[in-house]
Amino acid sequence: MADPNDFLDDPEAAEAEAYADEMEEIDEGELALEEVMAERDQYKDRFTRALADAENARKRSEKDRREAENYGGSKLARDMLSVYDNMKRALESATEEQREVSGPLLEGVDLTMRELLSVFKKHGITPIAPEVGDRFDPKVHQAMFEAPVPATKAGDIIQVAAEGFMLHDRLLRPAQVGVSSTPA
């Protein structure tokens, strides 16, 4: 057993030993605290990244939903354009004589055509109806042929074969036109 007098003989050594023990405990505590803080920062970073990924996924799915809503029926719309073209040709080809004989029938075709255009408008389908003399725009027109025509400039539309259509801001079908080339 240690002599109690030894303890009292060297109080500075005892104090230094106690201080060293306390410092060792503090250093261990600081190390543990630093480890916990580093782990916390790591989890915080992972959480922030996961939150950003979730927000990006939400925005992407919202964009996909809007595009599907606006452009999902583009194949059906494109197929319906031939119905419009045929009805328009039928109305344009009717002579005055036929209009007198088949007036109610042609009126029914005309009303059906108006209803079709109303449905097109409701779903964001708008016609592109160029006029003879307009400038050719390759973004919305398709040149079916080129011909030199006197009194026109190169690039002027000289004939409209078929109207084009836009689905919201996308081209559904270009207007089919004949274009003037440089006269010989």
Side-chain angles (χ1 to χ4, degrees), residues 133-136 147-158 179-183:
D134 289 350
R135 293 294 296 165
F136 176 76
V149 176
T152 62
K153 295 180 201 167
D156 284 348
I157 295 174
I158 55 174
V179 181
S180 174
S181 62
T182 307

Side-chain angles (χ1 to χ4, degrees), residues 100-121:
E100 289 175 14
V101 174
S102 304
L105 176 64
L106 290 173
E107 185 179 332
V109 172
D110 187 43
L111 289 173
T112 304
M113 177 106 147
R114 286 189 213 161
E115 181 65 23
L116 182 62
L117 284 171
S118 172
V119 170
F120 280 179
K121 185 176 181 181

Side-chain angles (χ1 to χ4, degrees), residues 136-152:
F136 176 76
D137 182 359
K139 294 177 186 169
V140 292
H141 301 142
Q142 178 182 6
M144 301 306 289
F145 65 90
E146 270 190 314
V149 176
T152 62

Side-chain angles (χ1 to χ4, degrees), residues 74-87:
S74 63
K75 287 183 179 180
L76 175 64
R78 198 171 288 115
D79 290 343
M80 291 300 294
L81 296 181
S82 64
V83 174
Y84 171 83
D85 292 338
N86 291 332
M87 291 175 70

Side-chain angles (χ1 to χ4, degrees), residues 96-104:
E96 284 301 318
E97 209 174 274
Q98 290 170 332
R99 288 186 186 278
E100 289 175 14
V101 174
S102 304

